[in-house]
Amino acid sequence: MDENKTRSKHFLLLVYQSFGIVFGDLATSPLYVYRSAFAGRLRHYQSEEAVFGAFSVIFWTLSFFSLFKYAVFMLSVNDNGEGGIFALYSLLCRHGKFSLLPNQQASDEELSTYQHAGYSNRSVPASSFRRLPDRDKKSKLALLILVLMAASMAMTLGVLTPAISVSSSCGLFKTLTHFYVYTGIMVALAGVLLLSLFVLQYQGTHKVAFIFSPVVLLWLLSIAALGVYNIMHWNPRIYEALSPIYIYRFFRLTGIDGWISLGGALLCITGNMPLCYMLIFSGIIIFSVAFCFFVYPCLVLQYMGQAAFLSKNFSAISLSFYASVPDAVFWPVLVIAILATVVVSQAVLSATFSTVKQCHALGCFPRVKIVHKSKWIDRQIYVPEINWILMVLCSAVTLGSQDTTRIGNAYGIASMTLIFITTSLISLSIYFVWHKGLALALSFFILFGTIELTFLFSSYIRILQGGWVPLLLSSIFLFTMFVWHYGSRKKYLYDQNHKLPMKWILTLGSDLGIVRVPGIGLIYTHLANGVPATFSHFLTNLPAFYQIIVFVCDKTVPVPFVPQKERYLVGRIGPKSYRMYRCIVQNGYKDVNENENEYDFENALIMSIAEFIQLEAEGGGSGTPDGGSIGGRLAVVKSSENFGKRFGISKSNGFEGTSSSSLNITSSKSATLVKLKMMYDEQESPEVKFKTRVQLTLVDTRYKDSFVKEEVMRLMEAKKFGVAYVIGHSNSKAKWNSPFLKRFLINIVYSFLRKNCRAPSIALSIPQTSLIEVGMNYTL
């Protein structure tokens, strides 16, 4: 009961903290929507009818997309509570077989988070169109490029959102006519705010997230009150523009100029990206209700109030929001606006870091350092390299443009492109994931896609007025991600084609033709099956290797997260006497490493192997030293209260200046076990601090399989001598007779990215003191 109360309080706290993050971007759009919409030739239409028509376009755009499409429909389109581009892509990879990497296993489908909405691929009749991904590699490649294009636009928004939000909030200086150096002051103030924003990213938002929601709530209430005031004071007739007939009148009056202005009007829906990416922080029903009955009415009142003001003060269109603020509340509104834009920028940066993390997890981004601290908000991460790259790019955009209108044009192109690609992916998901009819999928695409294409073409008209910025940035991001994925896939296929034959390994005998020394060697490989060619370097060039060999595959499964009890997939390679195991560490694309040190992973791995040995014997495995499955059958090792039915393994914290590991043996007079206890108690030096203590207790003396006991004890004895991490240090080159394009991508671009990104050991959090790197040449 107390545990349920604790979980409920934790959930409500996350909902409260994330309210400001989810709706912040959408709530600050009124700062620049009207100014951007009337920035072009539309400014020549200085009439009440033009303003009423512009408001009608904004109102129905906000209602159709943010209210109907996102708050009502898209919040229910999620992958186990995760939203965004990669959530849709993972669903398509699982249920539509769109993944390009050939590392899928039957065990993937056994994960509790794998199936979606109760659908199973096995029960769905396969039509010719549904079998298209299996037959046509080009369809998989086209989908990957589409997803990477959306991801690149999402990263571009991480550059543009802080720039436009902070610059718009600093627009007060333009309203103060005696500041003739308005531009310089605004840019300087915006630069200081941006610098502070990016520098403080490493601290996380856990300390200030508590005030995010009050800031956004106060901002929404403020702009709603301003909207009501402007409606009553300037033009109460503005409510008439709620009728869609004013859209017809608007385009009849403005013609092509009105169509071009749509690129500015769509900025009212640009906050939908955090609405999907931050879905995990929220309850779907709670936030749907919050948006429909609080956020949406506040925004409508504000847009209506601004339109009422502008219909009587059209000359103030360049000042937009701030000109409509009464003098009596000008400075308080300004302070709230600046705080709200900081919250918005923080939310979009968090979404950008999440996008990079997901790209990296799926093998589409160079290795970067992912920072997560247990005291931070759940699954909040920080990527140092991306943070500083975004800071430089964001500062360059702000200082280079010195005009929020140009940034708004760029912002609109990036947002609308992302929205259109999302619609395309949802249409595919309706058919391949939810297994609805093709007619329904096409109807959805036509309904939303046609309108979005209209906005999209209107946005691209403004390419020369700043719209080229997102195209340039996204092209660089897209090229980088595609080349990295291309090179990584070629390396994976090379490893798969050059695996060591099991027949050759068996001819070497249990000693593998070398001296087996005490200890455990963890050999990292991308292969989910087979023995990598890297291992042959040890067998042919070194006289000795470790007594216990574990091939570790750190694999990302196309699910958002993998429960801890299902994370380790353990199997045996060769007969039992070879002491060779395989461990696949399954991670979701949004899983973060919460282990504070490498000993947590080591202990979890050792316990998983020990439990596998126990499960193997209980499942009818051979009880002889030379028994075992040569085929390498894998088993999911679950950490639960039943763990250690024969061997009770528990964990407790070690303390500074004391031995951090112990082995307790009860109900046994075995001399071997007594000797093992004496050796194990001495395995840690007094200088070691804060390791995880592992206790192995033999609790069931009725278990008579001495071979299983001996194997587990040898495993624990090897642990005492230490664990070494073996990882490949590769050098990739294309074949000399490859096409020029392939040689350019592999020899120059991919090689450059590989040499200038994080080392594999850092990306995998491998301790440097236990690291062994093995050189490997790849001819792709």
Side-chain angles (χ1 to χ4, degrees), residues 132 146 159 166 182 220 277 313 316 399 434 475 477 586 590 599 620 749 771 774:
L132 180 63
L146 191 68
V159 176
V166 173
Y182 147 73
L220 287 169
Y277 276 89
N313 302 273
L399 297 175
W434 289 277
S475 298
F477 291 142
Q586 302 179 110
K590 291 208 72 175
Y599 303 106
V749 183
L771 176 64
V774 181

mmCIF file of all heavy atoms in Angstrom, residues 132 146 159 166 182 220 277 313 316 399 434 475 477 586 590 599 620 749 771 774:
data_model
loop_
_atom_site.group_PDB
_atom_site.id
_atom_site.type_symbol
_atom_site.label_atom_id
_atom_site.label_comp_id
_atom_site.label_asym_id
_atom_site.label_seq_id
_atom_site.Cartn_x
_atom_site.Cartn_y
_atom_site.Cartn_z
ATOM 1 N N LEU A 132 6.171 -6.281 -48.696
ATOM 2 C CA LEU A 132 7.079 -5.454 -49.461
ATOM 3 C C LEU A 132 8.409 -5.200 -48.755
ATOM 4 O O LEU A 132 9.471 -5.310 -49.385
ATOM 5 C CB LEU A 132 6.403 -4.120 -49.815
ATOM 6 C CG LEU A 132 7.242 -3.127 -50.625
ATOM 7 C CD1 LEU A 132 7.583 -3.708 -51.994
ATOM 8 C CD2 LEU A 132 6.500 -1.797 -50.770
ATOM 9 N N LEU A 146 13.810 8.830 -44.614
ATOM 10 C CA LEU A 146 12.707 9.686 -44.181
ATOM 11 C C LEU A 146 12.776 9.954 -42.686
ATOM 12 O O LEU A 146 12.596 11.097 -42.233
ATOM 13 C CB LEU A 146 11.378 9.020 -44.549
ATOM 14 C CG LEU A 146 10.114 9.871 -44.408
ATOM 15 C CD1 LEU A 146 10.115 10.991 -45.428
ATOM 16 C CD2 LEU A 146 8.866 9.000 -44.573
ATOM 17 N N VAL A 159 18.287 24.116 -32.550
ATOM 18 C CA VAL A 159 19.073 25.330 -32.800
ATOM 19 C C VAL A 159 18.173 26.548 -32.898
ATOM 20 O O VAL A 159 18.453 27.607 -32.325
ATOM 21 C CB VAL A 159 19.889 25.182 -34.106
ATOM 22 C CG1 VAL A 159 20.629 26.480 -34.421
ATOM 23 C CG2 VAL A 159 20.865 24.025 -33.999
ATOM 24 N N VAL A 166 14.164 33.274 -27.354
ATOM 25 C CA VAL A 166 14.896 34.277 -26.589
ATOM 26 C C VAL A 166 14.892 35.617 -27.303
ATOM 27 O O VAL A 166 14.705 36.670 -26.680
ATOM 28 C CB VAL A 166 16.337 33.797 -26.309
ATOM 29 C CG1 VAL A 166 17.155 34.897 -25.665
ATOM 30 C CG2 VAL A 166 16.330 32.554 -25.425
ATOM 31 N N TYR A 182 18.669 49.683 -30.487
ATOM 32 C CA TYR A 182 17.831 48.541 -30.121
ATOM 33 C C TYR A 182 18.454 47.206 -30.519
ATOM 34 O O TYR A 182 18.566 46.293 -29.719
ATOM 35 C CB TYR A 182 16.454 48.697 -30.780
ATOM 36 C CG TYR A 182 15.805 47.400 -31.157
ATOM 37 C CD1 TYR A 182 15.279 46.549 -30.182
ATOM 38 C CD2 TYR A 182 15.732 47.002 -32.493
ATOM 39 C CE1 TYR A 182 14.700 45.362 -30.527
ATOM 40 C CE2 TYR A 182 15.147 45.807 -32.839
ATOM 41 C CZ TYR A 182 14.632 44.994 -31.852
ATOM 42 O OH TYR A 182 14.060 43.820 -32.196
ATOM 43 N N LEU A 220 0.391 31.461 -19.221
ATOM 44 C CA LEU A 220 -0.867 31.193 -19.910
ATOM 45 C C LEU A 220 -2.004 32.037 -19.350
ATOM 46 O O LEU A 220 -2.829 32.585 -20.107
ATOM 47 C CB LEU A 220 -1.209 29.712 -19.810
ATOM 48 C CG LEU A 220 -0.374 28.763 -20.665
ATOM 49 C CD1 LEU A 220 -0.627 27.316 -20.278
ATOM 50 C CD2 LEU A 220 -0.678 28.962 -22.149
ATOM 51 N N TYR A 277 7.446 14.230 -27.834
ATOM 52 C CA TYR A 277 8.683 13.706 -27.285
ATOM 53 C C TYR A 277 8.639 13.609 -25.764
ATOM 54 O O TYR A 277 9.315 12.785 -25.176
ATOM 55 C CB TYR A 277 9.862 14.580 -27.715
ATOM 56 C CG TYR A 277 10.396 14.222 -29.072
ATOM 57 C CD1 TYR A 277 9.884 14.812 -30.222
ATOM 58 C CD2 TYR A 277 11.395 13.284 -29.226
ATOM 59 C CE1 TYR A 277 10.371 14.478 -31.473
ATOM 60 C CE2 TYR A 277 11.889 12.934 -30.467
ATOM 61 C CZ TYR A 277 11.370 13.538 -31.583
ATOM 62 O OH TYR A 277 11.837 13.202 -32.823
ATOM 63 N N ASN A 313 -4.877 48.919 -34.715
ATOM 64 C CA ASN A 313 -3.516 49.482 -34.618
ATOM 65 C C ASN A 313 -2.603 48.732 -35.578
ATOM 66 O O ASN A 313 -1.616 48.111 -35.162
ATOM 67 C CB ASN A 313 -2.983 49.387 -33.193
ATOM 68 C CG ASN A 313 -3.862 50.081 -32.180
ATOM 69 O OD1 ASN A 313 -3.729 51.275 -31.929
ATOM 70 N ND2 ASN A 313 -4.779 49.321 -31.584
ATOM 71 N N ALA A 316 1.265 48.845 -35.701
ATOM 72 C CA ALA A 316 2.057 48.214 -34.639
ATOM 73 C C ALA A 316 2.332 46.750 -34.928
ATOM 74 O O ALA A 316 2.767 46.014 -34.034
ATOM 75 C CB ALA A 316 1.340 48.352 -33.299
ATOM 76 N N LEU A 399 23.045 35.911 -33.876
ATOM 77 C CA LEU A 399 23.880 37.062 -34.227
ATOM 78 C C LEU A 399 23.853 37.332 -35.730
ATOM 79 O O LEU A 399 23.940 38.486 -36.155
ATOM 80 C CB LEU A 399 25.322 36.809 -33.770
ATOM 81 C CG LEU A 399 25.533 36.652 -32.260
ATOM 82 C CD1 LEU A 399 26.975 36.290 -31.962
ATOM 83 C CD2 LEU A 399 25.159 37.928 -31.523
ATOM 84 N N TRP A 434 -1.092 -1.320 -36.954
ATOM 85 C CA TRP A 434 -2.443 -1.579 -36.460
ATOM 86 C C TRP A 434 -3.243 -2.460 -37.416
ATOM 87 O O TRP A 434 -4.364 -2.830 -37.115
ATOM 88 C CB TRP A 434 -3.166 -0.259 -36.198
ATOM 89 C CG TRP A 434 -2.608 0.436 -35.006
ATOM 90 C CD1 TRP A 434 -2.925 0.195 -33.696
ATOM 91 C CD2 TRP A 434 -1.604 1.447 -34.988
ATOM 92 N NE1 TRP A 434 -2.181 0.998 -32.870
ATOM 93 C CE2 TRP A 434 -1.366 1.789 -33.638
ATOM 94 C CE3 TRP A 434 -0.887 2.120 -35.968
ATOM 95 C CZ2 TRP A 434 -0.438 2.757 -33.261
ATOM 96 C CZ3 TRP A 434 0.031 3.074 -35.590
ATOM 97 C CH2 TRP A 434 0.250 3.389 -34.252
ATOM 98 N N SER A 475 20.652 19.135 -43.702
ATOM 99 C CA SER A 475 21.420 18.360 -44.692
ATOM 100 C C SER A 475 22.718 17.843 -44.092
ATOM 101 O O SER A 475 23.120 16.699 -44.329
ATOM 102 C CB SER A 475 21.718 19.211 -45.925
ATOM 103 O OG SER A 475 20.523 19.613 -46.572
ATOM 104 N N PHE A 477 23.285 17.306 -40.803
ATOM 105 C CA PHE A 477 22.921 16.272 -39.834
ATOM 106 C C PHE A 477 22.541 14.975 -40.549
ATOM 107 O O PHE A 477 22.949 13.881 -40.139
ATOM 108 C CB PHE A 477 21.756 16.753 -38.959
ATOM 109 C CG PHE A 477 22.116 17.868 -38.021
ATOM 110 C CD1 PHE A 477 21.219 18.902 -37.766
ATOM 111 C CD2 PHE A 477 23.338 17.898 -37.392
ATOM 112 C CE1 PHE A 477 21.544 19.928 -36.910
ATOM 113 C CE2 PHE A 477 23.677 18.930 -36.520
ATOM 114 C CZ PHE A 477 22.773 19.945 -36.281
ATOM 115 N N GLN A 586 20.328 -6.564 -23.638
ATOM 116 C CA GLN A 586 19.275 -5.944 -24.433
ATOM 117 C C GLN A 586 18.899 -4.588 -23.843
ATOM 118 O O GLN A 586 18.593 -4.479 -22.657
ATOM 119 C CB GLN A 586 18.058 -6.859 -24.494
ATOM 120 C CG GLN A 586 18.369 -8.237 -25.074
ATOM 121 C CD GLN A 586 17.156 -9.136 -25.110
ATOM 122 O OE1 GLN A 586 16.609 -9.453 -26.152
ATOM 123 N NE2 GLN A 586 16.715 -9.563 -23.942
ATOM 124 N N LYS A 590 15.517 4.110 -25.620
ATOM 125 C CA LYS A 590 15.480 5.205 -24.662
ATOM 126 C C LYS A 590 16.029 4.808 -23.300
ATOM 127 O O LYS A 590 15.973 5.593 -22.351
ATOM 128 C CB LYS A 590 14.053 5.747 -24.509
ATOM 129 C CG LYS A 590 13.534 6.485 -25.724
ATOM 130 C CD LYS A 590 12.493 7.534 -25.371
ATOM 131 C CE LYS A 590 13.120 8.730 -24.679
ATOM 132 N NZ LYS A 590 12.147 9.807 -24.438
ATOM 133 N N TYR A 599 31.266 -1.939 -11.562
ATOM 134 C CA TYR A 599 31.078 -3.139 -10.753
ATOM 135 C C TYR A 599 29.613 -3.564 -10.727
ATOM 136 O O TYR A 599 29.319 -4.739 -10.557
ATOM 137 C CB TYR A 599 31.596 -2.891 -9.333
ATOM 138 C CG TYR A 599 33.044 -2.470 -9.324
ATOM 139 C CD1 TYR A 599 33.401 -1.154 -9.064
ATOM 140 C CD2 TYR A 599 34.049 -3.385 -9.604
ATOM 141 C CE1 TYR A 599 34.727 -0.756 -9.072
ATOM 142 C CE2 TYR A 599 35.381 -2.999 -9.626
ATOM 143 C CZ TYR A 599 35.707 -1.680 -9.357
ATOM 144 O OH TYR A 599 37.018 -1.279 -9.382
ATOM 145 N N GLY A 620 17.057 -29.731 -17.861
ATOM 146 C CA GLY A 620 17.393 -31.051 -18.385
ATOM 147 C C GLY A 620 18.719 -31.103 -19.098
ATOM 148 O O GLY A 620 19.002 -32.038 -19.835
ATOM 149 N N VAL A 749 34.806 10.103 -45.293
ATOM 150 C CA VAL A 749 33.782 10.629 -44.374
ATOM 151 C C VAL A 749 33.637 9.745 -43.142
ATOM 152 O O VAL A 749 33.741 10.217 -42.004
ATOM 153 C CB VAL A 749 32.437 10.775 -45.106
ATOM 154 C CG1 VAL A 749 31.405 11.390 -44.151
ATOM 155 C CG2 VAL A 749 32.582 11.635 -46.346
ATOM 156 N N LEU A 771 40.799 -2.250 -19.628
ATOM 157 C CA LEU A 771 40.510 -2.280 -21.059
ATOM 158 C C LEU A 771 41.657 -2.909 -21.850
ATOM 159 O O LEU A 771 42.826 -2.619 -21.623
ATOM 160 C CB LEU A 771 40.252 -0.856 -21.573
ATOM 161 C CG LEU A 771 40.017 -0.694 -23.072
ATOM 162 C CD1 LEU A 771 38.744 -1.412 -23.487
ATOM 163 C CD2 LEU A 771 39.952 0.783 -23.435
ATOM 164 N N VAL A 774 41.939 -4.475 -29.244
ATOM 165 C CA VAL A 774 42.479 -5.378 -30.256
ATOM 166 C C VAL A 774 42.319 -4.724 -31.625
ATOM 167 O O VAL A 774 41.212 -4.345 -32.014
ATOM 168 C CB VAL A 774 41.747 -6.732 -30.238
ATOM 169 C CG1 VAL A 774 42.337 -7.675 -31.275
ATOM 170 C CG2 VAL A 774 41.829 -7.347 -28.850
#
